[in-house]
Amino acid sequence: AAMVKETIRVYARVKPLRRRQQAGSYSVDDEEPLPSLEITVPRDLADGFINNKREIYKFKFQKIFDQEAKQDVLFDSIAKPVAECVLAGYNGTIFAYGQTGSGKTFTITGGAERYSDRGIIPRTLSYIFDQLQKDSSKVYTTHVSYLEIYNECGYDLLDPRHEAARMEDLPKVTIMEDSDQNIHLKNLSLQQATTEEEALNLLFLGDTNRMIAETPMNQASSRSHCIFTIHISSKEPGSATIRRSKLHLVDLAGSERVAKTGIGGHLLTEAKYINLSLHYLEQVIIALAEKNRSHIPYRNSMMTSVLRDSLGGNCMTTMIATLAMDKRNIDESISTCRFAQRVALIKNEAVLNEEIDPRLMIVQLKNEIQDLKDELALVTGKQRTSELSQEELLQLDELVETFLKDNDPDSSLDVGPDMRKIKYCFFHMKQIMNCPVTADKKQDISEQKNSNKEAGEELEKLKGLLQQRDNEINILVAMLKQEKKKAQDALLQLNATSAGSKVLEQSPSMSLEESQSPPRCSSQKEAKGFSSSVPRLPLLSRETGGKMSLGCQEAFEVFKRDHADSITIEDNKHLLKQRFDEAKCLGEKLNEARNKINHLKRKIVQRQIQRAALAVSNPSEEQMFDPVEDNLRIQMEEEKKSYKTVYSHFKGLKVEIEHLQLLMEKVKIKLLKDFEVWWSEEAKKFQQEKPEMVTSPNTGTVSPQFTRSSQHLSTNSSSDTTRDSPYEDPAVKNNLITFNNPTLKTRTPPSSSTSVPLTGDSQADADILAFIKARQNILQKIGKSCQ
Ligand code: ADP
Ligand code: MG
């Protein structure tokens, strides 16, 4: 099979600076053959943390994408070549590595706001489905899977139930190793995706599940690895050879490190990963870079096990080092670059993944047998039944006996080209050899006596030979059984795969027609819509039985107004409306063009009929060429061409609309989730102030989140670094303003709440109190934003 040897390609991408961030000093030099990134460490840093005499660091990359590089450019130069290899039957991997906040998710999945910000995954899906559609020489099947690895546990993000409130609710994925040391992921669903739209829906389903399962406690987005995999199999019609390839698109955990204890005299390389599995990844990479190293410690972590082929194995692998080049992150960026330089040394050997489909093989062999039978019948002139008749058997007995008695050395036994007859003759001869008396009754007894001794020896010899043959047969039968079992296993596996690939039932339908209804304006309806149309939010539904209380809804309205994400939603709504109008316009154009084409067609047919009639009535004037018809044809071709152009534009627009809708859905869910966290924290805070009054079992479940966020507040130093937490999002930071409010930190209960008439029902009381408290905060917030 074809094989491609290649080192891992390593690219760098520098994230744009934010406002108020101090730029680190670096430069990009387009040297030959590879560009280099030069980082200068400022004195103050060099004297302290990086206690190293060097101040200028230089790193080589395949290509360096500086701050202004856009997503489409990255896709074209990084992902497209890999996607092409995957379409040809090779495995591919693209992984993003870098500290939290450096742009891994932005690069792999994309930004949450603009269509043009979509990342490598949606662009690759789009490209792959386009290519598949163009290639009619093969039959393609595509599946996707989405795995999240957190704390050495795997989770299936494509769980369609939408019920996971916590990561632990997602189906657990485990690693299994077969006897050939191949890795299999048990419980990871492979969902079939036949169109770009279906695949995109699955991507968003996974991202939503990921978002919902994240809590401030687990910080999943920075501490987990996410692997989105596109599985492609292809086959030429009629061929039994299947090509199977996988494309892993990997968003790794944040690579941030902590320095070893003890200040001074420590090199950066001694800094320890916060994420243990990245430590194991580094060990694998160090081992791979060493010459003559036979043992590579893939098994130390789930992530390195899953990505084993991508690292030094059968895969075309690409790494993107994401860098945040502001001053405070220079040290982490240098670590990232160092890691990248090691990765660039790793050689992979990608082979064409071809295999024989056992089902098709059986069909093929059956056909071949039938063909051969037919051919045989043709040659012998006889149609065969499987068994010889009694008459034929007797005839053969006689032939064999005559042959045995014949003393002529030239005599031969001719039964014709029929394996069954030949076999039977041997069988009969064996019978005669074993029981010469009965078989050879007519033979002279004295003659028999003479040859008895001789025959005895011969018999022993033959018996030995027979024993030998029996052994051989036994061995062959055992081998055959093994082969058969293998084939069956493969079949089973195949069946299992196709059984597991149910198309999602709950994936939102995105056809243009359906989504054309105008966006709902009534805010109350919208709030309800969140809990019905959108995947149900578990936290909410558990606390309120699936519905928001009125007070909660009201709070949500205010929260929404204040939340930066709603601006995004509004922006996108406008954009969506624009796109709809454009699509409508294009749709009309398409209709027009179609009508024109049909009209021209009719005209051509009319013309042909006229000419045919003319030819009948006036045969001598028959014309071979009709300029009028030709003209009509040219016109029609032109119309068709413009139809195609408009259509492809229309199609692109449709994809964009679908993408925007999914983005909006995601932002809405995030908004609701943020609200929930905020709401329960407010409630919780109130309970902490008045613990003797309210005991609610429900709000107790969120206490760890609260603890976590208050810790975050007290050490709120990272606000302008990119080492982010879930509160990195500026919108969420806005919410924190209320928490930071010093008046709220003093834990005296508001006097008004003590005079509230309580119902005695602890649940209802908790709701009322939480509501009042939340209301006060909202009022404060509103007051603040009005100042
Ligand atoms: P990571 O996944 O590495 O933690 P993110 O991709 O979430 O980092 O990026 C952090 C923030 O920076 C996000 O708000 C993201 O939109 C923004 N960002 C990252 N890279 C870029 C870029 N190249 N252009 C614009 N914004 C970016
Ligand atoms: Mg991320």
Side-chain angles (χ1 to χ4, degrees):
M3 193 212 280
V4 180
K5 281 194 185 187
E6 215 187 53
T7 52
I8 295 185
R9 291 186 200 187
V10 180
Y11 297 87
R13 181 185 209 180
V14 182
K15 184 192 141 169
L17 275 187
R18 291 182 202 209
R19 268 183 297 146
R20 291 204 304 273
Q21 264 183 341
Q22 257 189 303
S25 160
Y26 74 96
S27 64
V28 176
D29 304 303
D30 276 322
E31 295 168 22
E32 291 297 323
L34 290 179
S36 67
L37 180 71
E38 234 177 62
I39 305 178
T40 310
V41 179
R43 274 242 170 257
D44 51 335
L45 274 182
D47 287 345
F49 183 52
I50 307 169
N51 191 0
N52 193 325
K53 293 211 171 63
R54 281 174 59 200
E55 284 190 348
I56 295 177
Y57 297 81
K58 194 167 169 176
F59 304 102
K60 293 270 175 197
F61 289 95
Q62 193 81 33
K63 205 163 183 175
I64 299 160
F65 297 91
D66 211 347
Q67 302 192 27
E68 56 285 343
K70 293 281 171 260
Q71 301 279 56
D72 53 342
V73 176
L74 247 90
F75 170 77
D76 282 343
S77 41
I78 297 180
K80 206 170 172 180
V82 181
E84 262 155 22
C85 289
V86 172
L87 284 168
Y90 295 91
N91 289 338
T93 298
I94 300 175
F95 69 92
Y97 175 100
Q99 72 186 113
T100 298
S102 59
K104 294 181 297 297
T105 305
F106 186 87
T107 302
I108 295 292
T109 307
E113 289 173 22
R114 278 176 298 274
Y115 182 60
S116 57
D117 280 349
R118 67 201 191 286
I120 285 176
I121 299 178
R123 284 174 197 271
T124 303
L125 287 172
S126 187
Y127 179 76
I128 283 178
F129 281 105
D130 257 14
Q131 296 304 110
L132 297 192
Q133 221 172 19
K134 279 186 198 154
D135 182 6
S136 54
S137 70
K138 292 199 188 88
V139 183
Y140 287 96
T141 322
T142 41
H143 289 84
V144 301
S145 60
Y146 205 172
L147 170 70
E148 174 161 21
I149 302 174
Y150 176 76
N151 252 347
E152 287 307 301
C153 274
Y155 300 96
D156 183 4
L157 286 174
L158 295 188
D159 172 34
R161 293 169 303 157
H162 285 306
E163 273 168 7
R166 297 164 307 162
M167 204 171 264
E168 294 84 344
D169 300 335
L170 288 167
K172 268 216 170 72
V173 178
T174 51
I175 285 194
M176 311 239 286
E177 206 172 316
D178 65 17
S179 53
D180 295 332
Q181 297 185 334
N182 292 317
I183 298 286
H184 299 275
L185 293 171
K186 201 178 140 198
N187 240 356
L188 180 67
S189 64
L190 281 185
Q191 308 277 3
Q192 185 159 22
T194 48
T195 60
E196 178 185 353
E197 188 187 329
E198 279 175 15
L200 211 57
N201 279 332
L202 289 166
L203 169 66
F204 275 81
L205 169 69
D207 281 341
T208 307
N209 276 340
R210 184 182 183 192
M211 184 173 71
I212 291 176
E214 171 160 11
T215 64
M217 260 316 257
N218 66 26
Q219 288 188 29
S221 68
S222 65
R223 295 187 179 170
S224 66
H225 314 288
C226 281
I227 306 177
F228 184 87
T229 309
I230 307 169
H231 308 250
I232 300 178
S233 65
S234 65
K235 185 174 87 64
E236 274 164 36
S239 157
T241 312
I242 302 181
R243 284 187 183 174
R244 274 182 219 287
S245 49
K246 278 186 270 189
L247 173 56
H248 292 310
L249 301 169
V250 187
D251 188 350
L252 287 178
S255 65
E256 44 272 14
R257 302 166 192 233
V258 278
K260 232 180 167 185
T261 49
I263 314 148
H266 286 297
L267 298 175
L268 243 189
T269 42
E270 284 178 72
K272 290 266 179 286
Y273 276 109
I274 290 173
N275 192 295
L276 194 62
S277 57
L278 283 176
H279 164 73
Y280 290 123
L281 173 65
E282 186 169 53
Q283 288 198 335
V284 165
I285 289 189
I286 290 171
L288 282 167
E290 263 174 50
K291 266 184 200 156
N292 312 322
R293 187 63 193 256
S294 60
H295 174 70
I296 310 292
Y298 292 111
R299 285 208 187 128
N300 280 344
S301 87
M302 185 170 193
M303 188 253 300
T304 48
S305 300
V306 174
L307 294 182
R308 194 175 66 183
D309 268 348
S310 312
L311 305 163
N314 170 20
C315 193
M316 310 268 228
T317 303
T318 294
M319 166 181 163
I320 306 173
T322 54
L323 305 166
M325 282 302 197
D326 59 292
K327 233 175 171 178
R328 307 181 65 150
N329 288 305
I330 281 290
D331 52 338
E332 288 289 357
S333 297
I334 291 172
S335 288
T336 299
C337 290
R338 281 195 174 141
F339 181 85
Q341 307 298 293
R342 286 218 199 95
V343 170
L345 299 174
I346 296 174
K347 287 192 190 73
N348 278 8
E349 290 178 4
V351 292
L352 206 53
N353 301 301
E354 282 185 328
E355 51 187 83
I356 307 291
D357 183 343
R359 281 180 305 183
L360 284 165
M361 197 68 183
I362 290 165
V363 171
Q364 259 187 357
L365 288 175
K366 275 187 181 162
N367 286 341
E368 200 176 318
I369 288 170
Q370 191 54 50
D371 285 351
L372 288 172
K373 274 186 182 166
D374 290 348
E375 205 176 308
L376 205 60
L378 203 71
V379 171
T380 57
K382 275 180 208 155
Q383 219 29 270
R384 289 249 150 86
T385 54
S386 54
E387 303 245 332
L388 292 166
S389 70
Q390 204 57 39
E391 207 177 321
E392 283 173 312
L393 290 177
L394 279 173
Q395 227 172 3
L396 286 174
D397 283 356
E398 217 158 289
L399 272 173
V400 170
E401 274 150 40
T402 324
F403 171 67
L404 285 176
K405 264 185 266 167
D406 197 338
N407 285 327
D408 183 355
D410 289 336
S411 75
S412 68
L413 178 61
D414 190 3
V415 293
D418 187 334
M419 260 332 267
R420 298 164 310 163
K421 287 184 180 171
I422 294 167
K423 274 186 191 156
Y424 179 77
C425 287
F426 276 113
F427 170 75
H428 189 60
M429 270 197 256
K430 189 172 159 186
Q431 269 185 331
I432 294 171
M433 294 302 300
N434 286 345
C435 339
V437 187
T438 48
D440 221 356
K441 285 170 281 204
K442 289 166 213 157
Q443 226 176 4
D444 189 41
I445 292 188
S446 61
E447 221 177 288
Q448 204 187 332
K449 264 188 181 164
N450 274 342
S451 57
N452 242 1
K453 207 179 150 196
E454 237 174 274
E457 283 167 11
E458 193 69 10
L459 199 66
E460 281 311 305
K461 251 198 215 164
L462 283 170
K463 271 185 183 165
L465 204 64
L466 205 66
Q467 184 61 47
Q468 219 173 310
R469 291 287 173 269
D470 275 349
N471 284 342
E472 282 170 19
I473 288 169
N474 280 337
I475 293 166
L476 285 170
V477 166
M479 277 168 66
L480 210 64
K481 274 185 184 163
Q482 227 173 8
E483 284 304 308
K484 208 171 140 190
K485 193 176 168 299
K486 266 193 199 164
Q488 271 173 344
D489 285 352
L491 255 172
L492 275 178
Q493 233 174 3
L494 264 171
N495 289 341
T497 325
S498 39
S501 52
K502 244 180 25 184
V503 184
L504 263 183
E505 296 162 338
Q506 294 182 348
S507 61
S509 155
M510 283 295 155
S511 83
L512 265 177
E513 292 82 351
E514 280 176 43
S515 38
Q516 235 154 3
S517 61
R520 278 168 297 192
C521 321
S522 154
S523 47
Q524 270 218 332
K525 255 192 213 158
E526 200 148 281
K528 259 188 215 150
F530 276 135
S531 43
S532 56
S533 75
V534 151
R536 207 153 42 83
L537 275 157
L539 208 150
L540 232 181
S541 46
R542 214 174 292 145
E543 285 195 350
T544 61
K547 263 191 252 158
M548 275 192 193
S549 69
L550 260 172
C552 193
Q553 258 180 42
E554 198 175 317
F556 182 53
E557 286 312 312
V558 181
F559 182 86
K560 229 171 54 175
R561 205 162 51 207
D562 236 30
H563 200 290
D565 279 354
S566 11
I567 300 166
T568 310
I569 294 177
E570 283 309 313
D571 282 356
N572 274 336
K573 259 190 201 164
H574 282 298
L575 192 63
L576 205 56
K577 171 121 193 5
Q578 249 175 2
R579 292 288 177 266
F580 270 135
D581 292 345
E582 272 175 63
K584 221 169 132 190
C585 191
L586 284 180
E588 276 161 18
K589 266 196 199 161
L590 280 178
N591 264 338
E592 239 168 71
R594 200 184 297 128
N595 286 341
K596 267 193 201 156
I597 292 169
N598 284 336
H599 180 72
L600 286 167
K601 248 188 217 158
R602 274 198 301 275
K603 265 184 145 173
I604 290 172
V605 171
Q606 261 174 13
R607 187 77 198 163
Q608 282 170 340
I609 293 170
Q610 277 173 7
R611 277 178 56 212
L614 213 69
V616 171
S617 65
N618 213 347
S620 59
E621 278 182 33
E622 195 182 345
Q623 266 185 336
M624 288 311 290
F625 179 74
D626 177 13
V628 178
E629 187 186 324
D630 193 52
N631 199 352
L632 286 172
R633 275 192 195 286
I634 289 169
Q635 272 183 48
M636 190 166 81
E637 284 314 308
E638 248 151 46
E639 280 301 331
K640 274 188 180 168
K641 236 188 258 165
S642 85
Y643 180 86
K644 269 186 196 154
T645 321
V646 178
Y647 182 74
S648 79
H649 190 173
F650 179 77
K651 228 176 83 186
L653 208 58
K654 192 170 167 237
V655 173
E656 183 177 348
I657 287 172
E658 281 156 11
H659 193 105
L660 281 174
Q661 285 173 327
L662 289 169
L663 277 181
M664 269 172 73
E665 199 109 312
K666 205 159 121 182
V667 177
K668 278 185 191 171
I669 293 172
K670 184 161 167 292
L671 183 66
L672 192 57
K673 194 176 136 72
D674 289 346
F675 171 71
E676 277 179 0
V677 171
W678 176 80
W679 175 260
S680 51
E681 275 173 6
E682 289 298 290
K684 177 76 195 165
K685 234 194 287 183
F686 186 77
Q687 277 177 23
Q688 282 185 341
E689 286 161 8
K690 284 246 144 198
E692 72 284 357
M693 280 176 69
V694 188
T695 44
S696 159
N698 293 322
T699 35
T701 56
V702 291
S703 68
Q705 300 178 6
F706 173 71
T707 323
R708 167 67 211 158
S709 62
S710 46
Q711 272 171 7
H712 179 85
L713 286 175
S714 55
T715 57
N716 196 3
S717 58
S718 56
S719 53
D720 63 347
T721 66
T722 49
R723 192 174 301 175
D724 74 358
S725 70
Y727 295 119
E728 170 78 354
D729 186 324
V732 183
K733 259 188 219 147
N734 284 347
N735 300 336
L736 286 176
I737 293 169
T738 55
F739 298 144
N740 275 330
N741 191 329
T743 59
L744 286 175
K745 274 190 180 162
T746 60
R747 305 216 149 171
T748 46
S751 55
S752 61
S753 63
T754 45
S755 61
V756 171
L758 296 180
T759 60
D761 173 349
S762 64
Q763 176 60 61
D765 286 349
D767 279 347
I768 291 172
L769 293 171
F771 173 54
I772 291 166
K773 180 76 186 158
R775 213 185 154 83
Q776 277 178 341
N777 283 334
I778 291 162
L779 288 173
Q780 260 173 336
K781 231 168 127 183
I782 293 169
K784 259 200 153 195
S785 60
C786 289
Q787 276 164 14

